[in-house]
Amino acid sequence: MLARIDVTPWLRVDPLATGDAPPEPAPGWPADPDRAPDRIPDPGAGPETGPDDDPPSVGPAPSLSATPPASGLPGPPLVLVPQYPVTEREAIQIWRGLRRNRREGPPVQLDVDGTVDRRCRLGLPTPPVLLPARLNTARLTLLVDRSASMMPYHEFVEHLEHAIGTSARMARCTIAYFRNVLGHSQHRYLLGGDGPVGRTALDAVLPVIPALQDGTVFRDRAMTALLPFAELIDGLDKDTGVAVVSDAGAARGGLSPVRLLDSVAGLKALTARAGAVVWLNPSPSDRWRRTTAGRIARHVPMHPLTVDGMHRAVDVLRGRQTAVERPL
């Protein structure tokens, strides 16, 4: 069994008995050693200050740095991933919906119904009946505007080009580039003289605007490899859909009768050969009003370059009828 014993009374030495002077009491301790102090001083605290003294300043110690020391190891790498309004997976899933299944090629698939029907009719064991495989014969021509007004959308459009061209599983996907318009119409006189001078709606002369015969289209984004316009038009047929990607003046809020005339002439050349033509505009739809884009939308289906807009564009390219105010 253990007991706690206070040995302080036996260790106290009387200074008078030894002849030494009594020590000075510590600050805050009473002169009488048998009296408890009113406040126990803090050994780490500095000297006491009066009411008239300035308060002590607080700051980092002189020997310590305010910033943590460097470890000498490289920091974690930052991986910056662009985030577009439409992800690559969404674009692939949308454009895989552009399908025209048709049986083409050598017979490789078993026709069960045909085989059974032939054996029942002949009453003899006959070779199986084979059919060609179903293939997606849909073809797409993507015409991308690379003008200065489209510069804020260049990376986004390139992101969609890669998704559509590599993973959409079409029979053929052709991508060509142009600047503002496919070409310049030679019939500018329709905008002046006795015609609608300065009019932005070409309703009065729409039937007599001839299709564009010659244009300026390129094979690459840098627009250095020229693609003959006749070659582009000859590659279109009723199984080919055309999607034009351009802001059509909506990015800058422009309204140009000349650009409208050139765009209508180019669209007439496309609709005369292709199965369907649709316009995808990367600018928000609320900016189309009172611009060239809003006028073009009266003649061809125009949709924003979003998930919902691309779904609608694919439906148009698959043959769904879409009402426009003044079709070409």
Side-chain angles (χ1 to χ4, degrees), residues 145-159 161 221:
D145 186 3
R146 295 289 292 185
S147 61
S149 61
M150 284 285 293
M151 188 172 295
Y153 310 108
H154 278 353
E155 292 187 2
F156 175 41
V157 175
E158 292 172 9
H159 161 75
E161 289 177 25
R221 298 190 183 109

Side-chain angles (χ1 to χ4, degrees), residues 34 68 108 134 148 164 194 235 250 276 285 311:
D34 295 333
V108 292
R134 288 185 178 273
I164 298 172
D194 297 333
S285 57
H311 272 298

Side-chain angles (χ1 to χ4, degrees), residues 176-191:
Y177 305 90
F178 65 96
R179 183 182 288 110
N180 288 326
V181 292
L182 296 176
H184 299 288
S185 175
Q186 302 298 325
H187 300 79
R188 301 288 178 85
Y189 64 89
L190 294 173
L191 299 176

Side-chain angles (χ1 to χ4, degrees), residues 183-191 196 199-213 257-272 295 298-299 326-328:
H184 299 288
S185 175
Q186 302 298 325
H187 300 79
R188 301 288 178 85
Y189 64 89
L190 294 173
L191 299 176
R199 290 183 60 179
T200 55
L202 302 179
D203 295 351
V205 295
L206 185 63
V208 298
I209 296 178
L212 189 66
Q213 300 297 325
V258 175
R259 181 170 184 172
L260 178 60
L261 174 65
D262 295 339
S263 300
V264 169
L267 290 171
K268 279 195 170 185
L270 297 176
T271 55
R295 300 298 182 179
R298 300 175 64 245
H299 306 298
R326 288 301 300 271
L328 300 176

Side-chain angles (χ1 to χ4, degrees), residues 1 5 23 36 50 65 79 90 95-96 125 150 159 188 196 219 226 228 246 268 272 313 319:
M1 187 174 186
I5 302 175
S65 174
V79 181
E90 289 174 334
W95 287 94
R96 281 185 179 176
M150 284 285 293
H159 161 75
R188 301 288 178 85
R219 303 179 188 270
L226 186 64
S246 174
K268 279 195 170 185

Side-chain angles (χ1 to χ4, degrees), residues 165-182:
T166 58
S167 304
R169 297 179 181 175
M170 302 177 192
R172 187 186 67 200
C173 181
T174 303
I175 303 178
Y177 305 90
F178 65 96
R179 183 182 288 110
N180 288 326
V181 292
L182 296 176

Side-chain angles (χ1 to χ4, degrees), residues 25 42 47 52 68 76 78 81 99 131 133-134 171 189 196 209 237 249 269 273 281 292 306 310 315 322-323:
D42 186 4
D52 299 333
L78 298 178
V81 180
R99 303 187 62 84
L131 295 175
R134 288 185 178 273
Y189 64 89
I209 296 178
D237 55 29
R273 297 293 302 269
N281 198 324
T292 309
T306 59
M310 288 196 296
D315 289 340
T322 302

